[in-house]
Amino acid sequence: MSFQRIAWGITGAGHFLDRSYQVFKEIKLRNPEVSVNTFISRAGEEVLRMYGLEQKLVKISGGDYLEEIFRESEQGSSSPKVGRFGLDRYDALFVTPATSNTVSKIAYGIADSLVTNAVAQAVKGRVPVYIVPVDIEGSIISEMPYNIDRKQCRHCEDCPPRENCPHGAITEKNGFTDQIDLLKCKGCGICKELCPYKAIKGGPVEVLVRDVDMRNVEIVKSLQGITVLESPEKILDFF
């Protein structure tokens, strides 16, 4: 099996996000003729910025027809672009990473976001759907966005990370550095490099998978037209 016209759905999870990006980048390198249309939920838009991947998506979806980037914030409540799934435009839809919230909605037939709407319309249009949940079982090691370790921070009045952040994402309180506003952070990492006390961190954290999330994944596995994949790298098997 080999797909030529695919859709990629991104939801608001940091776990698997960079690995998913690398997988689709590899697909385009292997076969530039493969078209990738990207659908991003509102939460996905925020997380892409936090992890510094927002601007890099043009390497996957360059902007031509069936290679556009559709953001939920720009699509309106009716998500008209998902109508393409009923018009034989795509060979498959891959949702990776899929948050526990997205998985639960799919499990119970709720389609109230751009990505869950895409899943619903894809199934109706007999387009195969592949989901990569972030919460499958046990525990996961998730990569966290940049944050300030308050035990390490010296609360410098002259703070190089704050003064040089190109996005104004580091806030201050009473004249001293306070925290990183993740809705402004673009994940560039400049702040981490500039802090002389190594107080800015971002890295792996072990997270427990809830039993309810594991149950929802099992429900999704049983749904018509949907296949659950254990990792983004499994997508490469289709190319």
Side-chain angles (χ1 to χ4, degrees):
M1 183 185 300
S2 181
F3 299 132
Q4 291 296 312
R5 303 170 303 165
I6 61 176
W8 175 20
I10 302 174
T11 68
H15 186 58
F16 283 160
L17 182 58
D18 185 67
R19 286 168 62 180
S20 299
Y21 169 77
Q22 296 300 332
V23 162
F24 283 94
K25 184 178 177 181
E26 177 65 22
I27 289 170
K28 293 292 287 187
L29 286 173
R30 289 185 184 184
N31 187 353
E33 298 304 313
V34 172
S35 63
V36 182
N37 209 158
T38 303
F39 293 77
I40 312 172
S41 73
R42 285 184 182 273
E45 294 178 47
E46 295 178 1
V47 175
L48 280 165
R49 287 195 292 271
M50 293 176 198
Y51 285 81
L53 292 173
E54 182 182 34
Q55 302 303 320
K56 295 181 180 180
L57 285 182
V58 293
K59 296 180 180 179
I60 311 297
S61 299
D64 292 336
Y65 180 63
L66 294 183
E67 290 203 320
E68 304 102 323
I69 297 173
F70 295 138
R71 297 173 176 82
E72 184 171 352
S73 62
E74 301 169 350
Q75 290 301 303
S77 300
S78 61
S79 304
K81 294 300 183 182
V82 303
R84 290 181 178 180
F85 288 98
L87 301 174
D88 195 30
R89 298 292 191 269
Y90 305 106
D91 298 322
L93 166 63
F94 296 93
V95 179
T96 179
T99 62
S100 58
N101 187 43
T102 296
V103 170
S104 66
K105 289 180 179 182
I106 294 171
Y108 291 96
I110 299 172
D112 64 351
S113 71
L114 179 61
V115 174
T116 54
N117 228 322
V119 171
Q121 295 304 315
V123 172
K124 290 179 180 180
R126 295 183 173 83
V127 177
V129 178
Y130 299 88
I131 309 286
V132 182
V134 295
D135 298 317
I136 296 182
E137 60 182 2
S139 61
I140 60 174
I141 304 299
S142 183
E143 194 75 18
M144 301 300 291
Y146 291 108
N147 63 89
I148 297 175
D149 184 339
R150 294 181 180 275
K151 293 181 179 179
Q152 293 286 108
C153 181
R154 303 294 179 87
H155 303 288
C156 304
E157 187 172 355
D158 295 320
C159 173
R162 185 184 71 231
E163 294 165 359
N164 291 279
C165 175
H167 310 293
I170 301 179
T171 64
E172 60 179 306
K173 187 176 182 180
N174 299 325
F176 299 100
T177 295
D178 183 37
Q179 60 184 325
I180 297 176
D181 184 342
L182 293 179
L183 295 182
K184 293 182 179 179
C185 178
K186 300 295 180 70
C188 65
I190 291 175
C191 58
K192 184 176 181 179
E193 296 175 4
L194 291 177
C195 180
Y197 302 107
K198 310 298 181 184
I200 297 180
K201 304 180 185 297
V205 174
E206 185 174 8
V207 180
L208 178 67
V209 177
R210 302 181 303 170
D211 57 353
V212 65
D213 296 327
M214 289 187 277
R215 289 199 299 270
N216 287 335
V217 169
E218 292 303 313
I219 292 172
V220 171
K221 286 181 180 180
S222 69
L223 297 180
Q224 179 184 16
I226 298 178
T227 301
V228 171
L229 303 177
E230 293 182 357
S231 71
E233 289 75 18
K234 294 291 185 182
I235 296 171
L236 294 171
D237 294 342
F238 297 97
F239 301 88

